Amino acid sequence: MPKTETQDASPSQLIDKRIEELGGWRGEMLGRLRNLVKQAIPDVIEEWKWRGVPTWYCDGMICTGETYKAVVKMTFAKGAAFDDPKGLFNSSLEGNARRAIDFHEGEEIDEEALKNLLRAAVALNRSK
C-alpha cells in the first residue's frame, strides 16, 4: 500500500499544513497559539492526534489546539487541577479534569496569562 504525504510528514509539518489550509482568522489564531506554546515551553513536543488535532506535550500532555467553524479551542488536559488566576478558561468548565479556552474571531489573547497557564500545566506534569 503506497504511503500518503501525511504518513511521511512530521507532526510539526502536519500542524504547519493545517494552519496554512485553515487560512483566515482561524489559521492565524492557531498559529499564534502555537507560537505562544513554543515561547512558554521551549522543549515542547508537538504531536498530531485523533486524525488531525495539534497536541502539545512536555512530561505529559499539556493541551490541544482544535479548530471549529466559530472558535479555535485550546483544551488543557488537566486544567481543572491548577489555578487560572486571570480567568482565561471559558469552556469545558463542568468536568473534573479538562478546561478549555475558546478563542473567537478578533479576540485579543492575554499572552502572559496564557503562557503562565501553559507553564502551570507543565509544572503539574512534572510534579507527578
Side-chain angles (χ1 to χ4, degrees):
M1 190 153 91
K3 283 192 166 189
T4 65
E5 184 179 312
T6 302
Q7 290 171 313
D8 289 335
S10 71
S12 293
Q13 290 169 325
L14 293 169
I15 296 169
D16 289 341
K17 186 175 180 196
R18 168 61 50 84
I19 290 168
E20 185 181 318
E21 287 172 347
L22 282 168
W25 76 269
R26 294 182 308 156
E28 183 181 321
M29 181 66 76
L30 183 59
R32 287 181 62 205
L33 294 174
R34 179 193 198 190
N35 286 335
L36 290 170
V37 170
K38 289 179 171 186
Q39 288 172 26
I41 310 155
D43 57 340
V44 72
I45 296 168
E46 294 186 310
E47 293 290 340
W48 185 253
K49 299 287 187 181
W50 309 292
R51 297 182 187 210
V53 177
T55 308
W56 293 280
Y57 288 82
C58 186
D59 294 314
M61 185 187 290
I62 303 165
C63 62
T64 62
E66 305 147 65
T67 53
Y68 300 96
K69 187 174 184 177
V71 299
V72 175
K73 179 184 290 282
M74 185 175 250
T75 302
F76 286 73
K78 301 172 189 163
F82 55 86
D83 290 334
D84 174 19
K86 296 285 187 170
L88 297 184
F89 292 137
N90 62 13
S91 183
S92 303
L93 301 175
E94 62 287 332
N96 292 329
R98 292 178 302 157
R99 293 287 182 271
I101 306 168
D102 286 352
F103 295 95
H104 299 87
E105 185 173 8
E107 199 166 23
E108 289 297 313
I109 300 171
D110 184 336
E111 293 186 1
E112 279 312 305
L114 182 57
K115 287 180 191 179
N116 287 335
L117 282 182
L118 291 161
R119 291 180 193 116
V122 172
L124 179 65
N125 285 351
R126 288 182 173 158
S127 73
K128 301 288 178 190

